[in-house]
Amino acid sequence: MNDKSARSGCVPTAELLPELALGILGGTERADVLAHLDRCAACRDESAAWAATVDALPTVLADQEPPSGFEARTLERLRADRDRVPRRSTVQRVLMLAAVVAAVIIASVAAIRIIDARSDTSSSTALASARMVGNGGKHAGNAFMTSGSEHYVFVDVDYGVKTGIYRVESVDSSDRVTALGMVAVTAGHGAWAGELPGRATVGTPRMVRLVEPGGEVLCVAKFGRAAA
Amino acid sequence: MWVVSDDALLDGLATGDPDATAAFVERFQRRVFGVAIRIVNDPRLAEDVAQETFLRAWQRAEAFDPRRGTVAAWLLTIARNLAIDTVRLRRVVIVDPAEILDRREPTGERGPDDLALLSSETERLHAALGDLPPDQCRALVLAAFFGRTAREISESESIPLGTAKTRIRTAMLRLRAALVDDTEASE
C-alpha cells in the first residue's frame, strides 16, 4: 500500500478515531479503521493521542469512601491471589464466562459448518485455550481456538499490552505465518475473533501471536497437540 | 512531610511488599471505588470491581509505562474498563449521566504525582466538561463511562445516528484540546 492510497482513507478514519479510542466502534467501521491504521503511521499516532484523552477521563470522577472493611478485604484478596489460592471474584467469573461464551459461539459456528458440509462424517469440534505470554513471561491475555477441519480463533488481550494496533498472526507446524487480522488495544484491553483460512493454505496452527507494526512479536499463545 | 511517590508504591505492590501494598490500596481506594460506584451504581458490584482493579494492578504492574501517564490514570482506566464490562454484562441500570460528573472535594491521602495531576489535567478536563453543551456532555458520558455505542445513544436519545456520532466526536475534540492546552502550558 503506497502513501497516496493510505492517505485516501485518513479523512474517514479520523472521523471514527474517537469512537475507536472509547471502545465503542464496531462492525465494518471498526474493521475499516483498523485496516487503515495498519498501513498509515500518521493515523496510528492520531489514534494514540485519542487513547490518551480517553485514559484521562476517569480522573474526573469524584472520590467516594468505600464500605467499611474494604481495605482489609482487598488486602486479603491480594494475599490470597499471591498465595495462588484459586479464588475468583464475581466480576472475574462473569468476564471469564463472557470469553468462554464468545469462544463457544465460534466453536458452534464451526461445528454447524462442519456438519452442514460433511453430514456423512463424524467430524467433531473442540475448544483449546492458551495463555498469551509476552516478554519476561508476562501474562498478556488468552487465546481460544477450535479444533477440527476448520479453525476459529478468539483473542482476548488484557492489561499487559500497551495501547496500539497489532497484527494477529497464526504460525503452523511448518512455521508458516498467516496474518489473520488486526486488533486494537485501548487502555490495555482488546479482543479479536475470526476464522483461519482453509487448510489448503494454512496448516494446523501451533501458536497465535500479536505483532507490532514494526514486526516485533509482542506476545504469543502456544497451543498443544490437543488443538490439532 | 515526605510522601512516597505513586510510582514507588506501584513498584512495591509489584514486588509484593506488604507495607507498600497496604499503602497503595489506602492511597487509591477512594478514587477507584469512586469510579466503580459511579458507573455500576451498586455498592456490592462496585466493591467487586474495585477489588478486581487492585488485583489487576498487581498482576500488570510491570506493564505500567510512566511515559504514557500517571499511576492514577492507569489505575482508574483499569477500573473504568472493568466497570463498563460489568455494566454491559449485567445490564446495570444507568444513572443519570449528569450525576456521574458530580464534583466533590477529594478525600483521603493523595500522592505528590496525583496532586500535580489534580492541579492541571483534571481541572482542565472538569472545566472542559462543564463548558460542553448538555447534549454533547450526555453523549460523551454515555459512551465513555457506560460503553454505549453511537447507535445505542441515538436510540436512547431519539436522535439520528449521525447526530449521536457528531456529539461524541465534538465533545472529544474539546476535551482533547483542553489536554493539549494543558501540555503546552506545562512546557
Side-chain angles (χ1 to χ4, degrees):
Chain A
M1 190 64 64
N2 60 36
D3 288 346
K4 185 177 179 180
S5 57
R7 283 195 299 272
S8 68
C10 291
V11 172
T13 296
E15 295 281 323
L16 297 172
L17 287 180
E19 289 176 67
L20 180 73
L22 286 164
I24 59 170
L25 194 64
T28 55
E29 285 182 326
R30 180 183 174 85
D32 290 345
V33 168
L34 294 180
H36 177 78
L37 292 179
D38 187 37
R39 59 181 186 269
C40 181
C43 284
R44 281 199 297 274
D45 291 342
E46 185 72 359
S47 179
W50 282 116
T53 303
V54 172
D55 286 351
L57 280 173
T59 64
V60 304
L61 300 183
D63 300 3
Q64 183 156 323
E65 195 72 38
S68 176
F70 170 83
E71 186 175 344
R73 290 191 293 275
T74 301
L75 292 173
E76 176 55 33
R77 276 192 60 178
L78 284 164
R79 272 192 294 271
D81 208 66
R82 284 170 173 158
D83 292 342
R84 304 289 183 191
V85 175
R87 295 173 60 187
R88 295 195 183 280
S89 69
T90 304
V91 169
Q92 197 169 6
R93 283 197 299 271
V94 170
L95 297 180
M96 288 185 67
L97 178 63
V100 171
V101 166
V104 168
I105 290 171
I106 294 168
S108 301
V109 172
I112 291 167
R113 288 188 177 190
I114 290 167
I115 291 168
D116 284 349
R118 303 181 184 83
S119 57
D120 59 340
T121 72
S122 57
S123 178
S124 62
T125 299
L127 186 67
S129 66
R131 286 163 56 93
M132 299 204 78
V133 179
N135 288 337
K138 286 187 297 187
H139 182 98
N142 295 287
F144 302 86
M145 182 170 65
T146 62
S147 65
S149 56
E150 296 182 36
H151 290 286
Y152 291 80
V153 172
F154 176 70
V155 174
D156 183 30
V157 179
D158 220 321
Y159 292 95
V161 178
K162 61 187 177 184
T163 296
I165 308 295
Y166 303 104
R167 192 163 61 247
V168 183
E169 294 181 347
S170 72
V171 181
D172 68 16
S173 54
S174 302
D175 289 333
R176 281 184 298 184
V177 177
T178 303
L180 304 178
M182 303 295 295
V183 59
V185 177
T186 303
H189 198 69
W192 179 90
E195 181 182 4
L196 269 67
R199 282 196 166 189
T201 53
V202 180
T204 300
R206 64 180 176 84
M207 71 168 73
V208 172
R209 64 191 189 187
L210 297 190
V211 181
E212 293 189 280
E216 183 181 348
V217 175
L218 197 70
C219 54
V220 175
K222 295 180 179 178
F223 292 94
R225 291 177 61 84
Chain B
M1 185 180 73
W2 181 71
V3 180
V4 180
S5 73
D6 296 344
D7 289 41
L9 283 186
L10 183 63
D11 288 341
L13 175 73
T15 59
D17 178 81
D19 292 337
T21 299
F24 187 88
V25 173
E26 161 60 20
R27 180 172 293 179
F28 290 106
Q29 60 178 338
R30 295 163 194 85
R31 304 202 67 193
V32 169
F33 188 77
V35 169
I37 189 67
R38 274 163 181 73
I39 295 176
V40 303
N41 195 29
D42 178 300
R44 188 183 60 81
L45 283 177
E47 173 159 346
D48 215 5
V49 167
Q51 288 189 3
E52 191 69 32
T53 299
F54 285 110
L55 282 174
R56 295 284 180 106
W58 166 60
Q59 293 165 349
R60 313 288 183 250
E62 291 180 359
F64 171 71
D65 183 352
R67 294 168 300 181
R68 300 184 59 82
T70 65
V71 171
W74 174 76
L75 186 67
L76 298 184
T77 294
I78 295 175
R80 167 188 171 266
N81 288 339
L82 286 170
I84 288 175
D85 287 343
T86 301
V87 167
R88 284 172 168 163
L89 292 168
R90 295 297 191 93
R91 299 180 185 279
V92 170
V93 176
I94 293 178
V95 298
D96 181 349
E99 289 183 15
I100 197 172
L101 298 176
D102 176 36
R103 292 193 70 180
R104 295 181 194 175
E105 289 302 312
T107 58
E109 179 197 1
R110 288 186 187 276
D113 308 341
D114 211 15
L115 287 172
L117 177 77
L118 273 177
S119 65
S120 54
E121 185 175 277
T122 305
E123 293 300 324
R124 284 180 175 268
L125 276 176
H126 263 301
L129 284 164
D131 289 342
L132 289 176
D135 54 0
Q136 286 181 21
C137 188
R138 184 177 171 83
L140 179 74
V141 167
L142 287 169
F145 295 121
F146 299 107
R148 294 293 189 257
T149 66
R151 182 168 299 283
E152 289 169 335
I153 292 170
S154 77
E155 291 169 355
S156 66
E157 303 292 296
S158 301
I159 55 177
L161 176 59
T163 302
K165 282 178 168 287
T166 299
R167 286 180 183 178
I168 295 168
R169 176 173 160 71
T170 306
M172 285 286 286
L173 280 167
R174 292 187 178 193
L175 296 188
R176 182 176 166 185
L179 291 175
V180 170
D181 288 347
D182 183 37
T183 304
E184 290 174 348
S186 64
E187 289 175 350

